[in-house]
Structures are given as C-alpha cells and as structure tokens.
Amino acid sequence: MPATTQHNEQATEVPDLNATESERLGENPARFLVEDVAADNGDGTTGELIFARIRGIVSTELVDYWLGVERWLAMQDDREPRDRVIDALEARKAELDEHGEGLAQAGLSPAERRERAAKRDAESVAVLVDEDGEEVSWSRQRGAVVGANS
C-alpha cells in the first residue's frame, strides 16, 4: 500500500503554483524546488536529487512547467531564480528537442505513459534492505540498498 505520509524532519510545506496543472502533468515541481541546492548526504530530497529529477524529465511541457515554478518560487522568496536550476532545465529541454520526448526505450509518449500509469496500481515494489537483507524503513536511508522482490 502506498505511503500517505512520510517522515522527514526537514520537511517544509510544499506550495503548488497550479494544482490542476500539477495533476495533469503528474507532479508538482515545487516538491523538489523548495529545497536548497546543496549536496545531498542521503537524509532528504535536497541538492543533487533536484538535478537527477531534472535529468529524468521526459517532456518539454514538463520542463517549461518546472521553469515556471522555479521562477515563481524565486519571486515568492524575493530572490532570483537559481542559475544552476535554470541551466539544468534549459539543457534538458534542448536534449529533449534534439532526441525526442518520452521514454525512448519504452517507445511511449508522455501522454501514453500517463494513460498507462493511471490504469495500474502505483504501489512501489522497491524495498530497502540492510547488509543482512533485513527490510529497512525508508526514513532510515543510510547504509540501505534497494533489494529485489523474491
């Protein structure tokens, strides 16, 4: 069963610029963009996880939404948009423009992926295990590895 809450001692309230658009595109970029751009030590969703998620974006439409949310968050915080974030998003958009959208290995467009995802149960099958193979809580990430289901 998917988790409805997640323990995160560093949690901040995640704003949603446009809940309708976030639902339509399948994610709220602010979930990542509210975090500081600093190296992640494995305790949360900060730093390099933002850039890993950006590298995984599969549509220019979603890149544009991320750009808008970064600019909106910057305005809310009375700051400039972060150059590293903007540069990473623009680079991802250029890559998608050059190589095409969607998951190339699956041959699916973003719309097809969303349609398939809506038809299946989104329950995660990943389980964290410690060095002895014992299941580890997701909130205790240090020293855990993802184990395969038997």
Side-chain angles (χ1 to χ4, degrees), residues 67-78:
L67 284 164
V69 171
E70 171 63 17
R71 290 180 177 125
W72 178 76
L73 288 170
M75 186 177 65
Q76 299 300 307
D77 294 339
D78 196 29

Side-chain angles (χ1 to χ4, degrees), residues 1-135:
M1 171 174 252
T4 56
T5 62
Q6 181 175 355
H7 173 70
N8 183 352
E9 294 169 5
Q10 300 144 342
T12 59
E13 186 173 331
V14 177
D16 197 347
L17 171 62
N18 183 333
T20 302
E21 193 70 354
S22 293
E23 184 175 336
R24 186 180 74 78
L25 292 172
E27 74 179 55
N28 175 9
R31 173 179 170 224
F32 296 94
L33 294 172
V34 295
E35 302 293 344
D36 290 331
V37 180
D40 184 2
N41 64 6
D43 290 334
T45 60
T46 61
E48 296 306 313
L49 185 58
I50 293 170
F51 299 105
R53 176 62 197 108
I54 289 171
R55 288 188 301 272
I57 294 175
V58 295
S59 77
T60 56
E61 184 178 23
L62 187 55
V63 171
D64 288 338
Y65 188 47
W66 272 66
L67 284 164
V69 171
E70 171 63 17
R71 290 180 177 125
W72 178 76
L73 288 170
M75 186 177 65
Q76 299 300 307
D77 294 339
D78 196 29
R79 62 170 173 82
E80 291 295 316
R82 296 168 291 185
D83 290 337
R84 281 187 66 202
V85 172
I86 297 297
D87 291 347
L89 287 164
E90 289 174 348
R92 183 61 182 152
K93 187 172 183 176
E95 185 177 21
L96 290 169
D97 285 339
E98 182 179 342
H99 299 290
E101 295 186 353
L103 294 174
Q105 66 273 23
L108 300 176
S109 72
E112 291 168 326
R113 280 192 335 284
R114 285 192 297 272
E115 183 179 316
R116 285 188 183 187
K119 290 180 181 178
R120 70 176 182 267
D121 184 7
E123 183 175 338
S124 174
V125 294
V127 176
L128 289 177
V129 295
D130 63 16
E131 54 278 343
D132 298 322
E134 296 295 319
E135 190 172 326

